[in-house]
Amino acid sequence: MTFTDQQVADVLCQYQTPFYLYDEATIRQRVRELKQAFAWNEGFREYFAVKALPNPAVLEILRQEGCGADCASGTELTLAQNMDIMFTSNNTPAEEFVQARELGAIINLDSLEMVDFLAQTAGIPEVICCRYAPATEVGSANQIMGEAGQSKFGMRRDQVFTAFERLRELGATRFGVHCMAASNSLNNDYYPALARELFDLAVEIRDRLGIEVEFLNFAGGLGIPYRPEDQPLDLAAIGAAVRREYETRLQGLKPAIFTELGRYLVGPAGALVTTVRHLKHSYKYYVGVDASATDLLRPAMYGAYHHITVVGKDQPADHPVDVVGSLCENNDKFAIDRWLPEVEPGDVLLIHDAGAHGYSMGYNYNGKLRGGEVLLGADGQARMIRRPQSAEDYFATLTVQ
């Protein structure tokens, strides 16, 4: 568990649930472990996936640890404007390409059609990247990414060659390839398998086009053990396996390796803190909390598992319950048939491993107001880094005649 009961109790003295709680020390530790695993690659760089946790306080921690930022929209570009940026977008409006160029971001083109669109709207930069989508599965498909060949992201292999030729004609001189073929993979061979795919592609690009790819972006995809029985990835072993592929397959090429992890770095560092509001016994036994799917969408959207504990209760987990919010939707459930200790109104639950794609995927259905975000600093002190939403915030965008 990332947080002790005492740490949570101290934070509860300051802030009202529901809120997200993040641990700075965990974030820093995970970044350092990642950098150590790939220290053998001279140009290695992590570009944190801003979509996972778009809060300036967290981005500043990551910047201090030497990370860049992977952005997917104009708003994310603004959030990360003080960092080195990789702009990985799709179906991109012209103004966002212009913004990315102004910030000096590395633009990662999602489609062949975007080559001429970029040239016409923002111009072709010296450094450019293309997103590659393998036709066959690399690693393991899942509900988040779907099957290979069915994804809306990236270019076919032949399109990457066409795009590079056209980009070179338009003035690009330095090239990179990006590929994200899986999401939340707990397979230690995913990155090594992706390395084989990308390293062979880089050699073929050199042989066919005379272009030496400067960097290969493995993107994200590394998973975290949401379930108690899941085994965590062995990052050191993954780094060593990628190194072996690097030294045997690249035929003299020496590209930098980039990653753009979100979930792996901040997922275990965050929890949704929520209070039991009501108990209900009908066909099943329901524990109603003051958070809802508007605060954490993943269980409703993907059927995702998040471990849940009751703060301060060490009793046996011998009560099967559904943990639910208060939305007018029957999928507003954080857990179904989950065994917990006996709870009562006022008890506080921690919904674990919610640091990534938790707050950022929130919304306002039923007019629900969103909770805040709290950072537990490396010094042990907690501070609010995003206040709870107010009714005034909710109504502020209305135009009233």
Side-chain angles (χ1 to χ4, degrees), residues 89-128:
S89 62
N90 68 94
N91 192 21
T92 310
E95 61 271 18
E96 292 186 358
F97 276 141
V98 172
Q99 184 182 1
R101 288 294 315 272
E102 290 174 348
L103 291 173
I106 299 174
I107 292 175
N108 182 23
L109 292 176
D110 181 70
S111 71
L112 178 58
E113 292 80 3
M114 285 291 103
V115 173
D116 285 328
F117 182 76
L118 176 63
Q120 295 160 10
T121 57
I124 300 298
E126 177 186 359
V127 182
I128 195 72

Side-chain angles (χ1 to χ4, degrees), residues 171-187:
T173 60
R174 299 163 58 195
F175 297 85
V177 177
H178 170 287
C179 183
M180 182 172 178
S183 181
N184 195 37
S185 173
L186 288 177
N187 181 356

